[in-house]
Amino acid sequence: MARSRAAHLSSAADFLQRGLDRADPPIPFLQRCEIFRRRLLAERDHLEALHHEIVRSVPHDVDPEAQVETVFNGVERFSRAVVSGGMPNAASTAKLAAEGLILNSQTIALWDAEVDSAIAQVALTDDAAMRQAMLKIIHEARIAGIAEFRQRLLSPASGYELALTNQPSTIDHPSGSSQPEKNADNPLPFYQTALPERGVPVRGRAGAARRWTAQSGRRRRAQT
């Protein structure tokens, strides 16, 4: 036992020493953030579609809520295994199978196709290191999307608040509501909710109130 522990510590120490001179990761941090953001937007729709499919297809003698929980727990467990250890090998596949999660060639092919598409969308070099980095981001976004999905089940309004701040609006904006703003760092419009009142946006009401008060004061002084 002591010899095994010493070997493990030596291996970790060797890794840390090599890490001091390691090259940069395949995808820089800011680009990873943007890829993650876009993947999370897609995952919201994918998980919503999955939820509807489960509810429609659940047998009459099975509790739909329990089935939804089982499926989403399994998807999350698969993604956590990928984030932690990369594309599952024989050992990790056997470990997942022991938990009742059977990984087949069709699932592996689907994950590979997701990586292919994600790399092509951002025109990155398709090599082993890049594929591993992209695979990790995809499944990180899936885990985050599942966490959001669970939150929406508890508080449905939370999902629509996220939509207002992360996706372009598909409805007409009322007069006086805030308009989308774009910049190079955030290509998608950012919407702030506004409840217009007589054409005055929410963020302008405080200033309008101060102007109204000042004008009223001037009128009173003029009358005296």
Side-chain angles (χ1 to χ4, degrees):
M1 177 65 70
R3 181 177 301 175
S4 175
R5 186 176 301 146
H8 174 74
L9 291 175
S10 175
S11 176
D14 289 344
F15 171 79
L16 293 174
Q17 186 174 356
R18 291 197 307 270
L20 296 176
D21 297 323
R22 279 185 175 275
D24 293 331
I27 306 176
F29 173 71
L30 291 179
Q31 192 171 17
R32 293 201 306 272
C33 290
E34 176 60 17
I35 294 171
F36 176 88
R37 185 183 68 86
R38 291 177 180 273
R39 292 299 311 183
L40 181 55
L41 290 176
E43 284 301 321
R44 288 170 183 162
D45 279 346
H46 294 164
L47 295 172
E48 182 72 10
L50 175 60
H51 182 214
H52 288 297
E53 180 64 24
I54 296 169
V55 172
R56 286 197 303 267
S57 61
V58 66
H60 293 294
D61 58 345
V62 174
D63 178 7
E65 290 187 60
Q67 184 72 2
V68 168
E69 182 177 0
T70 297
V71 172
F72 274 79
N73 285 347
V75 172
E76 181 183 19
R77 180 65 185 91
F78 275 132
S79 288
R80 288 194 180 279
V82 171
V83 168
S84 178
M87 192 69 80
N89 58 16
S92 54
T93 299
K95 181 181 178 180
L96 289 168
E99 300 175 15
L101 300 171
I102 307 303
L103 188 61
N104 55 38
S105 58
Q106 184 178 0
T107 301
I108 296 294
L110 174 62
W111 289 348
D112 275 331
E114 288 179 329
V115 173
D116 291 339
S117 176
I119 289 177
Q121 286 176 2
V122 290
L124 294 173
T125 303
D126 190 348
D127 57 26
M130 185 63 67
R131 294 186 69 83
Q132 171 59 35
M134 188 63 75
L135 179 70
K136 183 179 180 182
I137 296 172
I138 289 171
H139 286 270
E140 286 174 334
R142 188 155 296 153
I143 293 169
I146 291 172
E148 283 188 0
F149 172 82
R150 292 189 177 115
Q151 178 60 32
R152 289 199 302 274
L153 291 181
L154 296 174
S155 175
S158 64
Y160 295 97
E161 291 168 1
L162 288 168
L164 287 171
T165 58
N166 285 282
Q167 299 187 53
S169 175
T170 57
I171 61 174
D172 293 332
H173 287 269
S175 175
S177 64
S178 55
Q179 296 299 312
E181 299 173 359
K182 289 185 179 181
N183 57 59
D185 295 329
N186 182 19
L188 294 179
F190 179 87
Y191 286 89
Q192 293 179 331
T193 56
L195 301 176
E197 181 178 347
R198 297 181 181 179
V200 179
V202 169
R203 61 186 179 186
R205 288 179 188 170
R210 286 194 295 270
R211 289 192 297 273
W212 182 85
T213 302
Q215 292 170 359
S216 298
R218 285 195 295 270
R219 281 195 294 268
R220 285 196 297 270
R221 287 194 296 272
Q223 291 173 355
T224 57

